[in-house]
Amino acid sequence: MSGGDGDDFIDGGELSGFVRQDLSGGTGNDVVIGAGLDRISGGSGDDVLVAQNGGTNDWDAQILIGGSGSDLFVVEDMTSLAPGEYRVEILDFNGLEDRLVLDLPDGGSATNLRLTVLDDSYVQIECRGVPVTTLRGVNLTDLSVGDILLRDTSEDGYDYAQIVAG
């Protein structure tokens, strides 16, 4: 599913089973929402990419690719954190222009988070000891405190446009 030119809103929905959708915003400032095994791409523009209920391991992770522009990556629904139950891979996170929002259970406590550099080419983010998100092509020197925002899942929804505006 592709949005093409302009500012698009694409919600791939939640498909059951091992189904991978390719969701792309194209050109423009898009919001693209996927779940499960989806591959989500923003294209050019300042996009919001939302991962809901990510893949289950390294081989079937949900994939997010921001493309050019200042992108916001949102990892939602991290409420079930049994080992191997949630994986999101972000392939082109750029700490100079992109931001990451993590929905955290139990009040959004940063004490639940751990960042680990693996092979000096990507950072793995764990919550309560469970790997949930990997930033490919990134090391800790590429990140600052402001790059990762924590959201308390006990709060009701939020407006993505407000987060993008800063």
Short mmCIF file of all heavy atoms in Angstrom, two decimals, residues 92-142:
data_model
loop_
_atom_site.label_atom_id
_atom_site.label_comp_id
_atom_site.label_asym_id
_atom_site.label_seq_id
_atom_site.Cartn_x
_atom_site.Cartn_y
_atom_site.Cartn_z
N ASP A 92 17.24 3.11 9.44
CA ASP A 92 17.97 4.34 9.06
C ASP A 92 17.79 5.47 10.07
O ASP A 92 17.64 6.62 9.69
CB ASP A 92 17.56 4.79 7.66
CG ASP A 92 16.12 5.26 7.57
OD1 ASP A 92 15.31 4.89 8.44
OD2 ASP A 92 15.81 6.03 6.64
N PHE A 93 17.84 5.15 11.35
CA PHE A 93 17.70 6.18 12.37
C PHE A 93 18.89 7.12 12.32
O PHE A 93 20.04 6.70 12.29
CB PHE A 93 17.60 5.54 13.77
CG PHE A 93 17.28 6.53 14.84
CD1 PHE A 93 15.97 6.86 15.11
CD2 PHE A 93 18.29 7.15 15.57
CE1 PHE A 93 15.67 7.79 16.10
CE2 PHE A 93 18.00 8.07 16.56
CZ PHE A 93 16.69 8.40 16.82
N ASN A 94 18.62 8.42 12.29
CA ASN A 94 19.66 9.44 12.25
C ASN A 94 19.46 10.35 13.46
O ASN A 94 18.50 11.13 13.50
CB ASN A 94 19.56 10.24 10.95
CG ASN A 94 20.60 11.32 10.85
OD1 ASN A 94 21.17 11.76 11.84
ND2 ASN A 94 20.84 11.79 9.64
N GLY A 95 20.35 10.26 14.42
CA GLY A 95 20.23 11.04 15.65
C GLY A 95 20.26 12.54 15.44
O GLY A 95 19.83 13.30 16.30
N LEU A 96 20.75 13.01 14.29
CA LEU A 96 20.78 14.44 14.04
C LEU A 96 19.42 14.99 13.64
O LEU A 96 19.18 16.20 13.77
CB LEU A 96 21.79 14.75 12.93
CG LEU A 96 23.25 14.43 13.26
CD1 LEU A 96 24.14 14.69 12.05
CD2 LEU A 96 23.71 15.23 14.47
N GLU A 97 18.53 14.14 13.13
CA GLU A 97 17.24 14.65 12.68
C GLU A 97 16.02 13.82 13.09
O GLU A 97 14.91 14.32 13.07
CB GLU A 97 17.24 14.83 11.15
CG GLU A 97 17.53 13.57 10.38
CD GLU A 97 17.69 13.83 8.88
OE1 GLU A 97 17.91 14.99 8.47
OE2 GLU A 97 17.57 12.87 8.12
N ASP A 98 16.20 12.57 13.48
CA ASP A 98 15.08 11.69 13.80
C ASP A 98 14.90 11.58 15.31
O ASP A 98 15.82 11.85 16.08
CB ASP A 98 15.30 10.28 13.25
CG ASP A 98 15.41 10.26 11.73
OD1 ASP A 98 14.81 11.13 11.07
OD2 ASP A 98 16.11 9.38 11.20
N ARG A 99 13.68 11.16 15.71
CA ARG A 99 13.41 10.89 17.12
C ARG A 99 12.67 9.56 17.23
O ARG A 99 12.01 9.11 16.29
CB ARG A 99 12.57 12.00 17.74
CG ARG A 99 13.39 13.25 17.98
CD ARG A 99 12.62 14.30 18.72
NE ARG A 99 11.65 14.87 17.78
CZ ARG A 99 10.65 15.66 18.13
NH1 ARG A 99 10.47 15.97 19.39
NH2 ARG A 99 9.84 16.16 17.24
N LEU A 100 12.77 8.96 18.41
CA LEU A 100 12.14 7.68 18.70
C LEU A 100 11.26 7.83 19.94
O LEU A 100 11.72 8.36 20.95
CB LEU A 100 13.21 6.60 18.95
CG LEU A 100 12.76 5.25 19.45
CD1 LEU A 100 11.87 4.54 18.43
CD2 LEU A 100 13.97 4.37 19.77
N VAL A 101 10.01 7.39 19.84
CA VAL A 101 9.09 7.38 20.98
C VAL A 101 8.84 5.92 21.35
O VAL A 101 8.47 5.11 20.49
CB VAL A 101 7.75 8.06 20.65
CG1 VAL A 101 6.76 7.91 21.81
CG2 VAL A 101 7.96 9.53 20.33
N LEU A 102 9.05 5.58 22.62
CA LEU A 102 8.78 4.23 23.11
C LEU A 102 7.63 4.27 24.10
O LEU A 102 7.67 5.02 25.08
CB LEU A 102 10.03 3.67 23.82
CG LEU A 102 11.29 3.50 22.98
CD1 LEU A 102 12.44 3.06 23.87
CD2 LEU A 102 11.06 2.50 21.87
N ASP A 103 6.59 3.49 23.83
CA ASP A 103 5.51 3.31 24.78
C ASP A 103 5.97 2.29 25.81
O ASP A 103 6.23 1.14 25.47
CB ASP A 103 4.27 2.74 24.08
CG ASP A 103 3.41 3.81 23.45
OD1 ASP A 103 3.76 4.99 23.55
OD2 ASP A 103 2.37 3.46 22.87
N LEU A 104 6.09 2.72 27.06
CA LEU A 104 6.59 1.83 28.10
C LEU A 104 5.49 1.45 29.07
O LEU A 104 4.70 2.29 29.48
CB LEU A 104 7.72 2.49 28.87
CG LEU A 104 8.98 2.78 28.09
CD1 LEU A 104 10.01 3.44 28.98
CD2 LEU A 104 9.55 1.52 27.48
N PRO A 105 5.45 0.18 29.47
CA PRO A 105 4.49 -0.23 30.49
C PRO A 105 4.94 0.27 31.86
O PRO A 105 6.05 0.75 32.02
CB PRO A 105 4.55 -1.76 30.42
CG PRO A 105 5.90 -2.07 29.89
CD PRO A 105 6.27 -0.91 28.98
N ASP A 106 4.07 0.16 32.84
CA ASP A 106 4.39 0.47 34.23
C ASP A 106 4.81 1.92 34.43
O ASP A 106 5.80 2.21 35.09
CB ASP A 106 5.49 -0.45 34.77
CG ASP A 106 5.12 -1.91 34.66
OD1 ASP A 106 3.92 -2.22 34.81
OD2 ASP A 106 6.01 -2.74 34.40
N GLY A 107 4.09 2.83 33.82
CA GLY A 107 4.36 4.24 34.08
C GLY A 107 5.49 4.84 33.28
O GLY A 107 5.91 5.94 33.55
N GLY A 108 6.02 4.16 32.30
CA GLY A 108 7.03 4.74 31.44
C GLY A 108 8.36 4.99 32.10
O GLY A 108 9.06 5.92 31.77
N SER A 109 8.76 4.15 33.02
CA SER A 109 9.99 4.36 33.77
C SER A 109 11.22 4.07 32.91
O SER A 109 11.36 3.01 32.32
CB SER A 109 10.01 3.44 34.99
OG SER A 109 11.28 3.49 35.60
N ALA A 110 12.13 5.03 32.87
CA ALA A 110 13.38 4.86 32.13
C ALA A 110 14.28 3.81 32.79
O ALA A 110 15.20 3.29 32.15
CB ALA A 110 14.13 6.19 32.03
N THR A 111 14.02 3.49 34.05
CA THR A 111 14.83 2.47 34.71
C THR A 111 14.60 1.09 34.10
O THR A 111 15.39 0.19 34.32
CB THR A 111 14.54 2.41 36.22
OG1 THR A 111 13.16 2.11 36.42
CG2 THR A 111 14.89 3.73 36.88
N ASN A 112 13.54 0.95 33.33
CA ASN A 112 13.25 -0.32 32.64
C ASN A 112 14.06 -0.46 31.36
O ASN A 112 14.02 -1.52 30.73
CB ASN A 112 11.77 -0.43 32.29
CG ASN A 112 10.89 -0.60 33.50
OD1 ASN A 112 11.32 -1.17 34.50
ND2 ASN A 112 9.68 -0.11 33.42
N LEU A 113 14.75 0.59 30.91
CA LEU A 113 15.44 0.58 29.62
C LEU A 113 16.92 0.31 29.75
O LEU A 113 17.56 0.73 30.71
CB LEU A 113 15.28 1.93 28.93
CG LEU A 113 13.93 2.26 28.34
CD1 LEU A 113 13.99 3.60 27.66
CD2 LEU A 113 13.46 1.20 27.39
N ARG A 114 17.45 -0.37 28.73
CA ARG A 114 18.90 -0.57 28.63
C ARG A 114 19.28 -0.49 27.15
O ARG A 114 18.64 -1.11 26.32
CB ARG A 114 19.28 -1.93 29.18
CG ARG A 114 20.79 -2.14 29.19
CD ARG A 114 21.14 -3.38 29.94
NE ARG A 114 21.80 -4.27 28.99
CZ ARG A 114 22.03 -5.53 29.19
NH1 ARG A 114 21.64 -6.10 30.30
NH2 ARG A 114 22.66 -6.25 28.30
N LEU A 115 20.31 0.28 26.84
CA LEU A 115 20.82 0.39 25.48
C LEU A 115 22.15 -0.33 25.41
O LEU A 115 23.02 -0.11 26.25
CB LEU A 115 21.02 1.86 25.08
CG LEU A 115 19.77 2.62 24.63
CD1 LEU A 115 18.77 2.76 25.72
CD2 LEU A 115 20.18 3.97 24.07
N THR A 116 22.30 -1.19 24.40
CA THR A 116 23.51 -1.98 24.24
C THR A 116 24.02 -1.83 22.81
O THR A 116 23.24 -1.96 21.86
CB THR A 116 23.23 -3.48 24.51
OG1 THR A 116 22.63 -3.62 25.79
CG2 THR A 116 24.50 -4.29 24.45
N VAL A 117 25.31 -1.57 22.66
CA VAL A 117 25.92 -1.52 21.33
C VAL A 117 26.34 -2.92 20.94
O VAL A 117 27.02 -3.61 21.69
CB VAL A 117 27.15 -0.59 21.32
CG1 VAL A 117 27.82 -0.61 19.95
CG2 VAL A 117 26.75 0.82 21.69
N LEU A 118 25.92 -3.35 19.77
CA LEU A 118 26.27 -4.67 19.25
C LEU A 118 27.06 -4.49 17.97
O LEU A 118 26.61 -3.83 17.04
CB LEU A 118 25.01 -5.49 18.99
CG LEU A 118 24.09 -5.68 20.20
CD1 LEU A 118 22.79 -6.34 19.78
CD2 LEU A 118 24.78 -6.49 21.28
N ASP A 119 28.25 -5.03 17.90
CA ASP A 119 29.11 -4.96 16.72
C ASP A 119 29.41 -3.54 16.26
O ASP A 119 29.67 -3.31 15.10
CB ASP A 119 28.51 -5.75 15.55
CG ASP A 119 28.41 -7.23 15.85
OD1 ASP A 119 29.23 -7.74 16.63
OD2 ASP A 119 27.50 -7.88 15.31
N ASP A 120 29.31 -2.55 17.14
CA ASP A 120 29.60 -1.15 16.84
C ASP A 120 28.84 -0.62 15.62
O ASP A 120 29.20 0.38 15.04
CB ASP A 120 31.10 -0.92 16.65
CG ASP A 120 31.46 0.55 16.80
OD1 ASP A 120 30.83 1.22 17.65
OD2 ASP A 120 32.33 1.03 16.06
N SER A 121 27.77 -1.32 15.21
CA SER A 121 27.01 -0.85 14.06
C SER A 121 25.52 -0.77 14.33
O SER A 121 24.77 -0.33 13.48
CB SER A 121 27.25 -1.76 12.86
OG SER A 121 26.78 -3.07 13.13
N TYR A 122 25.10 -1.19 15.50
CA TYR A 122 23.71 -0.98 15.85
C TYR A 122 23.52 -1.02 17.36
O TYR A 122 24.31 -1.56 18.10
CB TYR A 122 22.77 -1.96 15.15
CG TYR A 122 22.99 -3.43 15.36
CD1 TYR A 122 22.22 -4.13 16.27
CD2 TYR A 122 23.93 -4.13 14.61
CE1 TYR A 122 22.39 -5.49 16.45
CE2 TYR A 122 24.10 -5.49 14.77
CZ TYR A 122 23.32 -6.16 15.69
OH TYR A 122 23.49 -7.51 15.86
N VAL A 123 22.44 -0.34 17.78
CA VAL A 123 22.10 -0.24 19.19
C VAL A 123 20.83 -1.03 19.44
O VAL A 123 19.83 -0.84 18.73
CB VAL A 123 21.91 1.23 19.61
CG1 VAL A 123 21.37 1.34 21.04
CG2 VAL A 123 23.22 2.00 19.47
N GLN A 124 20.88 -1.88 20.43
CA GLN A 124 19.70 -2.65 20.82
C GLN A 124 19.10 -2.02 22.07
O GLN A 124 19.81 -1.71 23.03
CB GLN A 124 20.07 -4.09 21.10
CG GLN A 124 18.90 -4.95 21.53
CD GLN A 124 19.31 -6.39 21.58
OE1 GLN A 124 19.33 -7.07 20.57
NE2 GLN A 124 19.66 -6.86 22.76
N ILE A 125 17.79 -1.79 22.05
CA ILE A 125 17.09 -1.22 23.20
C ILE A 125 16.28 -2.34 23.84
O ILE A 125 15.50 -3.02 23.17
CB ILE A 125 16.17 -0.06 22.78
CG1 ILE A 125 17.00 1.03 22.11
CG2 ILE A 125 15.41 0.48 23.98
CD1 ILE A 125 16.19 2.13 21.48
N GLU A 126 16.50 -2.52 25.14
CA GLU A 126 15.79 -3.55 25.89
C GLU A 126 14.89 -2.88 26.92
O GLU A 126 15.24 -1.84 27.47
CB GLU A 126 16.76 -4.48 26.62
CG GLU A 126 17.66 -5.27 25.71
CD GLU A 126 18.65 -6.14 26.47
OE1 GLU A 126 18.68 -6.06 27.72
OE2 GLU A 126 19.38 -6.88 25.82
N CYS A 127 13.76 -3.50 27.17
CA CYS A 127 12.87 -3.07 28.24
C CYS A 127 12.63 -4.26 29.15
O CYS A 127 12.23 -5.33 28.68
CB CYS A 127 11.55 -2.55 27.67
SG CYS A 127 10.44 -1.91 28.94
N ARG A 128 12.94 -4.10 30.42
CA ARG A 128 12.86 -5.19 31.41
C ARG A 128 13.62 -6.43 30.93
O ARG A 128 13.16 -7.56 31.09
CB ARG A 128 11.41 -5.52 31.72
CG ARG A 128 10.70 -4.40 32.43
CD ARG A 128 9.39 -4.82 33.04
NE ARG A 128 8.52 -5.53 32.13
CZ ARG A 128 7.23 -5.31 32.01
NH1 ARG A 128 6.66 -4.40 32.75
NH2 ARG A 128 6.50 -6.00 31.19
N GLY A 129 14.77 -6.22 30.30
CA GLY A 129 15.62 -7.33 29.88
C GLY A 129 15.22 -7.99 28.58
O GLY A 129 15.85 -8.95 28.13
N VAL A 130 14.19 -7.48 27.91
CA VAL A 130 13.71 -8.07 26.66
C VAL A 130 14.05 -7.13 25.50
O VAL A 130 13.66 -5.96 25.53
CB VAL A 130 12.18 -8.30 26.72
CG1 VAL A 130 11.67 -8.84 25.40
CG2 VAL A 130 11.82 -9.22 27.87
N PRO A 131 14.78 -7.60 24.46
CA PRO A 131 15.05 -6.75 23.30
C PRO A 131 13.75 -6.37 22.59
O PRO A 131 12.95 -7.24 22.28
CB PRO A 131 15.91 -7.63 22.40
CG PRO A 131 16.38 -8.75 23.25
CD PRO A 131 15.36 -8.93 24.33
N VAL A 132 13.55 -5.06 22.38
CA VAL A 132 12.31 -4.61 21.74
C VAL A 132 12.57 -3.82 20.46
O VAL A 132 11.77 -3.88 19.53
CB VAL A 132 11.43 -3.78 22.70
CG1 VAL A 132 10.88 -4.65 23.80
CG2 VAL A 132 12.18 -2.59 23.26
N THR A 133 13.65 -3.07 20.41
CA THR A 133 13.92 -2.23 19.24
C THR A 133 15.41 -2.23 18.95
O THR A 133 16.22 -2.17 19.87
CB THR A 133 13.46 -0.78 19.49
OG1 THR A 133 12.08 -0.78 19.83
CG2 THR A 133 13.66 0.08 18.26
N THR A 134 15.76 -2.29 17.67
CA THR A 134 17.14 -2.21 17.25
C THR A 134 17.28 -1.06 16.27
O THR A 134 16.50 -0.94 15.33
CB THR A 134 17.61 -3.52 16.59
OG1 THR A 134 17.43 -4.58 17.51
CG2 THR A 134 19.06 -3.43 16.18
N LEU A 135 18.28 -0.20 16.50
CA LEU A 135 18.61 0.89 15.59
C LEU A 135 19.82 0.46 14.79
O LEU A 135 20.93 0.38 15.33
CB LEU A 135 18.90 2.17 16.38
CG LEU A 135 17.83 2.63 17.37
CD1 LEU A 135 18.32 3.85 18.15
CD2 LEU A 135 16.53 2.93 16.67
N ARG A 136 19.64 0.15 13.53
CA ARG A 136 20.74 -0.30 12.66
C ARG A 136 21.58 0.87 12.18
O ARG A 136 21.07 1.96 11.94
CB ARG A 136 20.18 -1.05 11.44
CG ARG A 136 19.43 -2.30 11.78
CD ARG A 136 20.37 -3.44 11.96
NE ARG A 136 19.64 -4.64 12.31
CZ ARG A 136 20.20 -5.74 12.72
NH1 ARG A 136 21.51 -5.79 12.83
NH2 ARG A 136 19.49 -6.79 13.03
N GLY A 137 22.87 0.64 12.03
CA GLY A 137 23.77 1.66 11.53
C GLY A 137 24.01 2.79 12.51
O GLY A 137 24.39 3.89 12.13
N VAL A 138 23.79 2.53 13.80
CA VAL A 138 23.90 3.55 14.84
C VAL A 138 24.79 3.02 15.95
O VAL A 138 24.79 1.83 16.23
CB VAL A 138 22.49 3.87 15.43
CG1 VAL A 138 22.58 4.81 16.61
CG2 VAL A 138 21.59 4.46 14.36
N ASN A 139 25.56 3.90 16.57
CA ASN A 139 26.23 3.53 17.82
C ASN A 139 25.88 4.59 18.86
O ASN A 139 25.24 5.58 18.54
CB ASN A 139 27.74 3.34 17.63
CG ASN A 139 28.43 4.57 17.15
OD1 ASN A 139 28.20 5.65 17.69
ND2 ASN A 139 29.27 4.45 16.13
N LEU A 140 26.27 4.38 20.09
CA LEU A 140 25.84 5.27 21.17
C LEU A 140 26.31 6.71 20.98
O LEU A 140 25.66 7.64 21.43
CB LEU A 140 26.31 4.74 22.52
CG LEU A 140 25.55 3.53 23.04
CD1 LEU A 140 26.12 3.07 24.38
CD2 LEU A 140 24.07 3.81 23.17
N THR A 141 27.43 6.92 20.28
CA THR A 141 27.90 8.29 20.07
C THR A 141 26.99 9.05 19.11
O THR A 141 27.04 10.27 19.05
CB THR A 141 29.35 8.30 19.53
OG1 THR A 141 29.40 7.61 18.29
CG2 THR A 141 30.30 7.67 20.54
N ASP A 142 26.16 8.33 18.35
CA ASP A 142 25.21 8.97 17.42
C ASP A 142 23.93 9.41 18.12
O ASP A 142 23.10 10.07 17.50
CB ASP A 142 24.83 8.00 16.29
CG ASP A 142 26.01 7.59 15.44
OD1 ASP A 142 26.93 8.40 15.27
OD2 ASP A 142 26.00 6.44 14.95
#
